[in-house]
Amino acid sequence: MAIMVVVSLPLFAALLCWIKPLRKISWGITVVCLTASFALSIAIAAQVLWYGRVIAIPGWFEVDGLSVLVILLVSWVCTLAAIFAGGYMRHGSQQTELRWWFYCNYNLLAFALIIVPAFASPNLVWVGMELITLFAILLVGFESTPSALEAAWKYAILTLMGAPISLFGFFVLYWAYRTSGGGTIETWQGLSAMASTMSPNLLKLSFLMVFVGFGAKAGLAPMHVWLPDAHSQAPSPVCAVLSGVKTTVPLYAILRFLSIILASPEARIGNWMVVAGLFSVGIAAFLLLQVRDYKRMFAYSTVEHMGIILTAAGFATHAGASGAVMQMLNHSITKSLCFYTAGMVLLLLETRQIKEVRGLFRLSPFVASALLICSLAIAGAPPFPIFLSEFSILSAGLRSGHNVAVIVLAILIVIAFVAIFLQVNSMLFGKPDPAATVGKVPWSCRTAVVIAALPVVVLGVYVPGPVQALLTLAAQQLGGH
Amino acid sequence: MIRTVVYNIIQLLFVIGLAPLYAGALSRLKEIIQSRRGPSVFQPYRDLWKLFHKDEVISSETTWIFRITPYLVFVTPLFVTILIPVLTAYPLAFGFMGDMLAGGFFLGLGGFFAALAAVDTGNPYGPMGASRTRMVGFLVEPVFMIVFFTVSFVAHSTIPYIVQQKWVASPAAFFSPSHVLLLIAFLMIILAEGGKIPVDNPSGHFELAMIDESKGLEYSGRGAALMKWGGEMKIMVLTCIFLNVLFAPWGLASDQQFLHVLLAIPLIFIKILFFTVLLVIIESSLAKLRLFRISEFLGAAFIISVAAMIASIFSVA
Amino acid sequence: MQLIEGLNALSAGLILLTAFGMVATRQVQGVMRFFIVQSAFLAASALLIGVGRGSIHLLALGVITVLAKVIAIPWVLRRMLPSDLYERREINQAINIPTSLLLALLLAIAAEFFLSPAVATSTDPIVRVNLPIGLAGILIGAYTLIARREAIPQLIGILAMENGAFFAGIAVAPDLPLIAELAIAIDVILIAVVIGVLTRNITQTIGSSDVSLMSELREEPRPWR
């Protein structure tokens, strides 16, 4: 029951924002509904920890450890981004009359993001994923400047191109499921149960198709080319949602599928996933060296972390799975913080270029310290959580014998760290440009940043018991031996 | 044995005699669709009769090629007629003399000499039209070849009679993707080789734009009559190949009774008239392509025929 | 049943033909018309297989396809976008037409090769025909997308890819729950609507629907505002 409420709250908020008299308080409606969603998802997480799995409508809406983790992440990031958006949209956006449309769209995106992990059937997951893409396209192109529209168009074409490919993959999966004797209702759980009896050729074919199709949405190389453009041109709260959770959700679907394939003894995909993941990390690391726009820098960092998660899942062991899940959690909370900070820098200095941002510590210590924290965190420095998860991934890789992969991964992570740190360094220190105009950072943005920074700072040193239990439960879903 | 030779002769007479009627029906129908009255369907016969009774004027600059070409253009479709099923479903006396490749070569022979003769006169429009005809010809050749290869691959033979029996045996084979694609490719060949829209305008008299008509420009009297008749017979022969071998082999006489063979004559002609309707619809609804777009048109025909070949290889293999 | 298999194979061949047609045509209207014809053949195939296998889902899918792709989407696109976008007679393309056709043919052959181990697991002739031609439709649609520079042909490329995916789907997943199929159909309409809105914005902002004109986002981006 709680699941249905969580899922329908954002939809309800979107409908409310549409109604004319309520348009003025659309921000308030959004924040209230999303906070309620977040609270309810914590309740569902508690239920899942107790029972192992929560079923709202059998065959349609079922939530287990991995799903509830993703739902938690989605509602956390969406809520905070909504709070951030209040101040940001008021000060930084060009389109003042269409603000209600922004919130309406935002709620629809949140709805689609929450509903995908809650779906139990892969075909409905496909439908949900397309809905996510559609709403995100509208949000990316919100500013209606030529570059925003270009980013939106590229995003639209590249991700929608993946849609029929993954649909084909899902059809083949359904075929394999039915020909090995499955019932008419196909759920993730049913699929993993039947994994060993399904034909490995068909499984491999459908996985490849789904990997290409959803990988384009998740930002895995070489289908990642839309990501830097879209994530730099969209309004910053939207970027936080896009980078933080919208790339995680397709990756969640790919990982679910991967766990089904790994359960089948004959199809050996794990090593290919390691290679694909390393490819993403490599491309991102090298592109990070030449980036000139700090929002694009964070976008490339998203590509890198998606690659790391995929590599970890490819190790096909319990340790690799727990590393992957932890990385998912840490990346979402850290990356959204990064984009809030980027939004604040944008509000302050009105430029996206790194070389035009200097001396942030003198201009606004609050923003500068936030930037320092989040860039250290995203690059993987201790005592921040990403360091913990990357370390556990590397050790999982060593334990499962993928030594070469671990060495390559470590080198690439170091390259990315250096690249990010060099860029951020030049932004933080030095003397500010005297001719630059300095904007204001509204209180709602500051509030959002402070709240978002809390888990980033805490989880690096202390992982509370329930969180650890949830992570373990989620890792079990990913399978491995 | 004698009977089959007789039937062969009847087949030849069928093609010789009814080719002008086919051309007349085509032009009459086209005019009717375009809301005009059009000439009588027997007009080509009258034209041929008129031309045979006129004097011939031959330029003194021409060689023996110019003189021999009308006869070649008249005779080569007749050779092809002997090889393909026109009235009967079983091979006739000379039916094994050559296969479809031989048929293609015969038609090519006629076209080759026509092009040479056009260059022979020294008239500026002749070589222009001849070069264009050859361009269309060499673009059509690969399509011809691939169509023949595909058909032979499925039927395991290159003799048209055997192909016809195997190809349309069952509904599954009839509707198979390779068959449909082959039909479309061959239709495009007919449009190209026969000089119909969208490749060429058969009723235009503007020499700068002529492709196929230019072969008959310099002829007069008996030469002109033979060139015209030969052109009409070539189109009829191509149509017969399309209908009787590939598309709709119904109405052919299946045994050796004389009455059945005679009955086949009107049946086949009615079938040809149905095809005429299709041709007229195509001609009236499309516009003539610009010259360099013809290569795209024939390129598309090539792609379609290769797709047909691939489809047949994969579904048979 | 054999007749149904034959007719299904016929529509498969014609679907492939329309896919080639989309690559070969120069006009925006031409691409749209080929898409409508391709969707009609897809619907016909769905109805045929539905009758042959007695699956009501497929009959419903056929009807939905006709309503959505043959009628609704072209109408919606026509209404939403300014009509001078449709009168373009020459689409800008990256590669000329004969080479494009050859590439499309190679893609179709590649699809057939790629699927031969998967097709070998089934003896059903409908599956053997639909699966490769479905994937070929997807690949050729993707190629149409890449090679064209105008907005509407790119959108139709995406929808043609969906046609290909569906064509494979009706053969291998005929009893997919109806809700999933309905949702998928609605999704297709939504895609068309969203892209239509985006195209309208683009046309209004940059004055033309040639999307290759928008190429500023590289590693040296313009400053904000």
Side-chain angles (χ1 to χ4, degrees):
Chain A
M1 190 52 213
I3 300 179
M4 305 308 295
V5 177
V6 166
V7 160
S8 19
L9 265 177
L11 187 60
F12 181 60
L15 283 170
L16 283 183
C17 289
W18 191 284
I19 303 178
K20 276 229 166 77
L22 294 173
R23 282 185 188 178
K24 299 224 180 44
I25 52 166
S26 45
W27 178 64
I29 296 176
T30 312
V31 172
V32 165
C33 288
L34 285 176
T35 319
S37 241
F38 179 62
L40 275 176
S41 43
I42 295 186
I44 299 177
Q47 267 189 310
V48 169
L49 278 178
W50 192 251
Y51 293 113
R53 152 175 228 108
V54 174
I55 301 183
I57 304 179
W60 285 63
F61 289 100
E62 292 178 19
V63 169
D64 60 10
L66 190 58
S67 325
V68 81
L69 177 68
V70 177
I71 293 182
L72 264 177
L73 289 173
V74 167
S75 42
W76 169 256
V77 172
C78 284
T79 314
L80 279 180
I83 299 178
F84 185 85
Y88 183 86
M89 295 309 282
R90 232 187 335 223
H91 289 235
S93 163
Q94 309 272 38
Q95 318 250 42
T96 42
E97 328 63 63
L98 284 178
R99 212 167 292 148
W100 63 271
W101 169 239
F102 175 82
Y103 287 113
C104 184
N105 221 347
Y106 185 84
N107 281 314
L108 286 172
L109 178 64
F111 160 70
L113 280 169
I114 291 186
I115 207 173
V116 167
F119 272 139
S121 160
N123 303 311
L124 292 173
V125 164
W126 182 85
V127 175
M129 208 67 78
E130 295 316 305
L131 284 177
I132 295 178
T133 308
L134 289 174
F135 295 134
I137 295 174
L138 289 173
L139 278 175
V140 168
F142 181 71
E143 292 287 336
S144 286
T145 61
S147 26
L149 286 176
E150 176 193 344
W153 184 261
K154 248 201 246 178
Y155 173 47
I157 294 294
L158 282 172
T159 44
L160 286 178
M161 231 166 93
I165 299 180
S166 45
L167 184 63
F168 184 84
F170 278 126
F171 279 141
V172 174
L173 180 66
Y174 188 77
W175 183 33
Y177 178 69
R178 295 282 289 152
T179 49
S180 5
T184 31
I185 306 217
E186 179 200 25
T187 60
W188 289 120
Q189 199 185 16
L191 279 171
S192 354
M194 302 216 44
S196 43
T197 57
M198 291 199 269
S199 148
N201 273 336
L202 289 181
L203 273 181
K204 272 197 279 203
L205 172 69
S206 61
F207 181 73
L208 180 65
M209 293 281 147
V210 170
F211 180 73
V212 168
F214 279 1
K217 295 188 206 288
L220 296 170
M223 289 95 53
H224 70 287
V225 283
W226 57 270
L227 211 148
D229 301 333
H231 287 205
S232 61
Q233 294 299 319
S236 290
V238 175
C239 289
V241 172
L242 287 183
S243 258
V245 284
K246 201 199 85 52
T247 46
T248 310
V249 172
L251 197 60
Y252 148 80
I254 294 181
L255 290 182
R256 273 241 198 245
F257 205 147
L258 186 64
S259 69
I260 295 177
I261 284 222
L262 290 176
S264 157
E266 288 154 22
R268 259 174 280 275
I269 302 265
N271 293 333
W272 284 108
M273 289 297 109
V274 170
V275 171
L278 285 177
F279 186 56
S280 286
V281 180
I283 288 198
F286 285 109
L287 281 172
L288 271 173
L289 289 172
Q290 354 158 353
V291 75
R292 292 198 203 181
D293 169 341
Y294 53 85
K295 281 178 91 169
R296 283 171 85 93
M297 173 178 83
F298 287 133
Y300 285 128
S301 163
T302 307
V303 175
E304 176 204 351
H305 284 281
M306 291 295 125
I308 295 179
I309 298 177
L310 190 64
T311 313
F315 289 150
T317 59
H318 276 310
S322 7
V325 166
M326 213 189 336
Q327 179 82 351
M328 260 169 66
L329 169 70
N330 295 333
H331 173 252
S332 292
I333 54 180
T334 317
K335 188 46 69 63
S336 43
L337 179 66
C338 290
F339 272 105
Y340 300 145
T341 318
M344 286 199 297
V345 176
L346 200 56
L347 280 177
L348 263 188
L349 289 173
E350 292 179 10
T351 168
R352 288 204 184 95
Q353 303 274 43
I354 292 182
K355 60 180 188 289
E356 293 179 19
V357 176
R358 277 174 290 150
L360 264 185
F361 263 119
R362 312 237 173 142
L363 285 176
S364 161
F366 178 74
V367 174
S369 33
L371 185 60
L372 183 64
I373 291 179
C374 74
S375 49
L376 278 178
I378 199 70
F384 292 111
I386 287 197
F387 173 74
L388 276 184
S389 49
E390 284 178 354
F391 193 74
S392 66
I393 291 175
L394 289 174
S395 60
L398 280 176
R399 252 181 284 158
S400 66
H402 294 92
N403 298 324
V404 175
V406 164
I407 296 178
V408 172
L409 186 62
I411 296 178
L412 291 174
I413 292 179
V414 167
I415 295 181
F417 181 97
V418 167
I420 294 180
F421 209 63
L422 278 178
Q423 314 280 20
V424 169
N425 212 15
S426 67
M427 286 207 287
L428 286 176
F429 302 107
K431 287 192 1 185
D433 187 3
T437 54
V438 179
K440 234 168 38 99
V441 178
W443 64 270
S444 63
C445 299
R446 293 178 194 246
T447 325
V449 166
V450 167
I451 302 181
L454 279 179
V456 174
V457 168
V458 167
L459 282 179
V461 287
Y462 166 64
V463 180
V467 175
Q468 183 65 40
L470 187 61
L471 285 176
T472 320
L473 199 58
Q476 270 174 3
Q477 295 303 124
L478 282 185
H481 39 264
Chain B
M1 175 66 189
I2 301 286
R3 210 180 267 212
T4 52
V5 174
V6 168
Y7 291 156
N8 236 341
I9 297 181
I10 294 182
Q11 215 169 295
L12 283 175
L13 291 175
F14 172 76
V15 170
I16 296 179
L18 290 183
L21 186 58
Y22 176 38
L26 190 63
S27 61
R28 178 79 192 263
L29 202 54
K30 200 157 54 158
E31 301 288 328
I32 290 179
I33 284 196
Q34 293 174 10
S35 307
R36 297 197 280 257
R37 278 186 53 184
S40 143
V41 291
F42 298 107
Q43 186 61 28
Y45 291 111
R46 297 196 188 114
D47 286 338
L48 288 175
W49 192 89
K50 169 188 79 174
L51 283 172
F52 271 122
H53 284 83
K54 285 198 167 186
D55 279 341
E56 253 188 295
V57 176
I58 300 182
S59 158
S60 52
E61 309 295 328
T62 59
T63 64
W64 59 272
I65 294 183
F66 188 82
R67 280 161 250 270
I68 209 175
T69 297
Y71 301 100
L72 269 177
V73 168
F74 184 77
V75 157
T76 46
L78 294 179
F79 273 116
V80 184
T81 315
I82 305 179
L83 302 173
I84 59 170
V86 178
L87 291 178
T88 57
Y90 49 88
L92 292 177
F94 299 106
F96 290 100
M97 205 170 71
D99 57 5
M100 290 188 291
L101 278 180
F105 282 141
F106 272 120
L107 291 174
L109 186 71
F112 176 63
F113 268 95
L116 279 185
V119 180
D120 200 18
T121 60
N123 178 352
Y125 296 123
M128 203 159 65
S131 64
R132 290 194 200 128
T133 316
R134 283 299 92 208
M135 177 188 90
V136 171
F138 91 75
L139 286 172
V140 163
E141 278 307 306
V143 191
F144 253 133
M145 289 297 133
I146 304 248
V147 166
F148 288 156
F149 286 153
T150 311
V151 166
S152 324
F153 182 76
V154 174
H156 300 291
S157 156
T158 55
I159 308 282
Y161 290 98
I162 302 183
V163 166
Q164 170 242 320
Q165 280 160 11
K166 284 229 160 170
W167 192 261
V168 289
S170 64
F174 188 75
F175 284 126
S176 61
S178 57
H179 190 219
V180 171
L181 292 173
L182 266 186
L183 289 178
I184 295 180
F186 201 83
L187 189 62
M188 291 164 100
I189 292 180
I190 293 186
L191 292 176
E193 280 276 325
K196 308 264 170 234
I197 292 181
V199 176
D200 180 22
N201 189 356
S203 53
H205 299 289
F206 184 42
E207 293 93 343
L208 284 173
M210 275 188 188
I211 298 183
D212 210 42
E213 292 293 307
S214 64
K215 66 175 188 279
L217 265 185
E218 279 295 303
Y219 288 97
S220 49
R222 187 169 46 189
L226 287 174
M227 292 291 278
K228 209 161 138 65
W229 209 345
E232 288 160 3
M233 283 200 295
K234 178 168 131 178
I235 296 182
M236 180 136 184
V237 159
L238 282 174
T239 309
C240 283
I241 295 181
F242 181 71
L243 289 177
N244 291 341
V245 176
L246 291 179
F247 186 45
W250 308 308
L252 293 170
S254 47
D255 56 22
Q256 294 215 3
Q257 287 197 27
F258 190 65
L259 198 58
H260 287 178
V261 174
L262 276 188
L263 199 58
I265 296 181
L267 285 177
I268 299 294
F269 198 72
I270 291 175
K271 203 165 66 171
I272 292 183
L273 283 181
F274 276 120
F275 181 68
T276 311
V277 173
L278 174 66
L279 258 188
V280 165
I281 293 176
I282 294 179
E283 286 210 30
S284 306
S285 49
L286 294 177
K288 183 165 111 80
L289 286 172
R290 292 156 72 180
L291 190 66
F292 58 89
R293 298 263 169 102
I294 294 181
S295 57
E296 284 172 14
F297 178 75
L298 290 170
F302 177 72
I303 298 292
I304 294 176
S305 58
V306 173
M309 180 169 82
I310 302 294
S312 71
I313 288 180
F314 275 112
S315 52
V316 168
Chain C
M1 190 60 194
Q2 239 210 348
L3 181 64
I4 289 184
E5 285 163 14
L7 287 176
N8 177 56
L10 175 67
S11 37
L14 291 170
I15 285 181
L16 193 62
L17 201 62
T18 49
F20 284 144
M22 273 196 257
V23 174
T25 185
R26 275 199 160 73
Q27 308 174 13
V28 177
Q29 286 261 44
V31 178
M32 179 80 94
R33 284 192 196 135
F34 274 118
F35 169 69
I36 295 178
V37 170
Q38 191 183 56
S39 311
F41 283 132
L42 172 68
S45 210
L47 289 170
L48 278 171
I49 300 182
V51 164
R53 296 238 181 112
S55 157
I56 193 157
H57 299 283
L58 283 181
L59 290 175
L61 182 68
V63 172
I64 292 175
T65 308
V66 167
L67 287 175
K69 288 189 174 170
V70 176
I71 300 179
I73 289 185
W75 185 78
V76 161
L77 283 178
R78 274 239 111 131
R79 293 290 301 262
M80 219 189 312
L81 299 169
S83 57
D84 57 319
L85 283 185
Y86 290 98
E87 276 143 32
R88 306 289 293 270
R89 298 236 136 208
E90 306 261 335
I91 312 177
N92 284 334
Q93 342 208 24
I95 310 181
N96 67 343
I97 284 187
T99 318
S100 290
L101 278 176
L102 270 174
L103 283 173
L105 183 67
L106 284 173
L107 285 173
I109 298 176
E112 180 78 52
F113 260 128
F114 186 63
L115 285 181
S116 39
V119 165
T121 63
S122 162
T123 52
D124 186 356
I126 294 185
V127 168
R128 295 181 80 101
V129 163
N130 276 23
L131 209 58
I133 293 199
L135 186 62
I138 292 180
L139 292 177
I140 296 180
Y143 176 73
T144 315
L145 200 73
I146 297 173
R148 303 287 169 140
R149 295 199 199 129
E150 288 268 335
I152 297 180
Q154 284 186 347
L155 166 62
I156 299 209
I158 294 179
L159 295 175
M161 286 170 80
E162 298 251 355
N163 272 352
F166 264 104
F167 191 62
I170 57 178
V172 301
D175 44 0
L176 205 58
L178 194 57
I179 297 294
E181 292 178 345
L182 254 180
I184 295 175
I186 294 178
D187 187 64
V188 169
I189 298 186
L190 274 179
I191 291 178
V193 168
V194 167
I195 300 287
V197 167
L198 198 56
T199 310
R200 188 170 57 184
N201 282 346
I202 290 179
T203 324
Q204 281 170 354
T205 312
I206 65 174
S208 119
S209 71
D210 184 346
V211 294
S212 69
L213 291 176
M214 304 191 292
S215 52
E216 300 174 354
L217 291 176
R218 257 173 258 115
E219 277 313 311
E220 293 91 23
R222 301 275 188 85
W224 189 52
R225 242 204 267 270

